[in-house]
Amino acid sequence: MNYPVVKGAAYALVQANSMLLHQGSTQITERLKNEQSEHLKALPEHLRSFEDAVCYPPNQAYIGNITPDQLKEIPHPWYENPIAGASRDGKYGEIMPEDEFFGLMKMVDSFDLVVLEESFQAAVKEKLQSHPILKDIKEITKLDSTAHSADEIQKLVAEHNAQPLYFAGKLVGCVKKAHEFDEALSSEVMLGNLANKASAVLVLKQLLAKTGLNPEQVDYIIECSEEACGDMNQRGGGNFAKAIGEICGCINATGSDTRSFCAGPAHALVEAAALVQSGIYSNVVVLGGGCTAKLGMNSRDHVKKGMPALEDMLGAFAVHIGENDGVNPVIRTDAIGRHKIGSGASPQAVMTAIVTDPLDKIGYKITDIDRYAPELQNPEITEPAGAGNVPMANFKMISALAVKRGDIQKADLMKAVDSFGMPGFAPTQGHIPSGVPFIGHARDMILEGKIERAMIIGKGSLFLGRLTNLFDGVSMIMEKNSGVVATDTGFDQEQLRKMIAEAMREFAKSFRE
Amino acid sequence: MDLENQARIKDLYDKYGNEELIVVLGGAEPEASGLAAETVATGDPTFAGPLSGVSLGLKAYHIFELKDEIPADVYEEQVGMMEMVLDVDEIVNEVKTYRK
């Protein structure tokens, strides 16, 4: 069987302090209740500089400059142990400051909703013109014209419900609403969707640049963030995927959006693998941009505990799934884990469905997987908010299942966690932490012969949408490529062997009768 | 504690009072479990939800405390793995604090 392979992965982060303050849902709610709240007053003091965000160890792990194993060696709190001299450019992508990002938002905005102040626009244009991979986007010309004065922007914000964009304490732009009455096209929604689109464009450009994939070779794009794009008559109409591909020159691609809360990326990867293995498409890109609403989601707790507001990063990722090349790690499409509607909701039922059921299908034990990548939220963000160390809880659950199945002794529970686990290093951006941040590292580790296989696990809280109490989860195994590429002879040799054996058995049986 | 859950508990309290009603928690963290127990007993300490400043006086128990009330096979199937993974004593102690 020719499994599809993971040909490359790219990751990007955008520091977004202005959007944290003004468009993060926690701050929006706080402002609605009490504009003079203590939290809103204290929060600006807790914002980090761009340099601090770049040197923050988990962010360096996210863009591939250090491995999760190296991150494990850095003592907590990580925000007090920065990596000196760290670069915004990473092996898998980059970390972008907010001013450049506002410029990028304007570049990808097809309906002139992003308005920038004249001198600010000129300054970011200069920066983006020297950006190694964004300078060739033809829409960069949008930064040549339609700049506004500071007064005009102030008026749009004050009188027309535009969303303000601040940089270095100054109002430098805004995002206008796209319809007078339609809430699905409000300025708040449009800002979220444009930020999502822009960060996805950034990461897709990174994927193309880092892997050498020609945009014209991309056949299909699956976008799997948690935003909804549409209007009042079809609020989730779509299509982010094509909008993103359009900017990146993927002229031969089509695409669509896949949703399942934080499990979206795992579903999208399975769909991509299926499309490639079936031969429908040769090159599929799975990607997701960042979520502005989640910026500073737990900042109340971070402020209370005297920490920096660490949820200042928009996260984005892109993965290229292609046909078997005999080199890159394969996706074991014969061992996809899924939480079924009838699986049950207890943690045990969920983990059995996602982790052990697929292993049983191909005769593997829990210990045959070298690394598990479940929800990889950075614990430094979640622990102060009372949500615990999410990846650690998942590793312990997998280990406990291994004990229950007799794969390991109970005394070795934590030893197993140490061997197949890793520290969480992803920003709390919903779909972003769910397994996918490890794909780039896993691919490298498999190619370098450090590990044989890894399991990528996506989990989603569907009950948040108030349509069902169900949970969700999907997993897939990445495995070292055997190096054998089956030639397309029109039939499956294994299948043929089975058919001949079956026929001979029948023949022998007829003699006995 | 989730704002929607606060509203649901308040509705149940309005209907049944606090004599015949307990809250069963399934939280994985001592702090979050304690916070939930506090919220239904004396009110939302974060002043974010419908139970802000509302003292329902409801008793909360973590599912770990109710092990003896549940058929062993059901408990094992539903909670067994998590019992192996979580800090049971710490969670239970934290939740108990708010029943005093």
Side-chain angles (χ1 to χ4, degrees), chain A residues 129-203:
Chain A
Q129 270 176 334
S130 54
H131 191 286
I133 58 164
L134 299 179
K135 63 182 177 197
D136 62 354
I137 294 180
K138 67 179 191 306
E139 285 81 1
I140 199 162
T141 52
K142 281 183 182 280
L143 298 175
D144 290 331
S145 56
T146 62
H148 285 52
S149 72
D151 287 347
E152 285 172 314
I153 292 167
Q154 185 65 51
K155 200 173 165 191
L156 284 168
V157 172
E159 295 172 23
H160 298 278
N161 287 328
Q163 291 292 313
L165 304 174
Y166 286 89
F167 190 75
K170 273 172 62 180
L171 183 67
V172 295
C174 65
V175 176
K176 298 187 288 185
K177 58 186 168 188
H179 189 277
E180 193 55 29
F181 307 109
D182 189 343
E183 283 182 15
L185 297 170
S186 70
S187 60
E188 199 180 313
V189 172
M190 289 317 300
L191 177 134
N193 285 352
L194 284 165
N196 182 289
K197 179 182 177 186
S199 51
V201 163
L202 173 63
V203 83

Side-chain angles (χ1 to χ4, degrees), chain B:
Chain B
M1 188 182 189
D2 182 80
L3 308 189
E4 185 60 29
N5 283 342
Q6 288 191 32
R8 286 165 78 178
I9 289 168
K10 192 166 179 294
D11 288 347
L12 289 169
Y13 170 89
D14 290 341
K15 198 168 173 188
Y16 301 108
N18 64 7
E19 288 294 313
E20 298 291 320
L21 186 67
I22 62 162
V23 179
V24 180
L25 303 173
E29 291 297 315
E31 195 184 334
S33 304
L35 200 66
E38 185 181 358
T39 304
V40 298
T42 57
D44 180 3
T46 65
F47 287 91
L51 294 181
S52 307
V54 180
S55 175
L56 300 183
L58 285 169
K59 285 187 162 56
Y61 294 81
H62 198 279
I63 190 70
F64 291 144
E65 297 179 87
L66 306 177
K67 187 172 182 176
D68 296 341
E69 314 294 326
I70 299 165
D73 56 331
V74 175
Y75 187 88
E76 188 51 34
E77 193 189 315
Q78 299 286 325
V79 194
M81 184 187 77
M82 293 313 284
E83 198 181 43
M84 216 187 295
V85 166
L86 300 178
D87 191 337
V88 175
D89 293 342
E90 214 184 317
I91 291 173
V92 169
N93 283 335
E94 188 66 27
V95 172
K96 264 185 186 168
T97 318
Y98 299 98
R99 292 204 300 270
K100 285 171 187 163

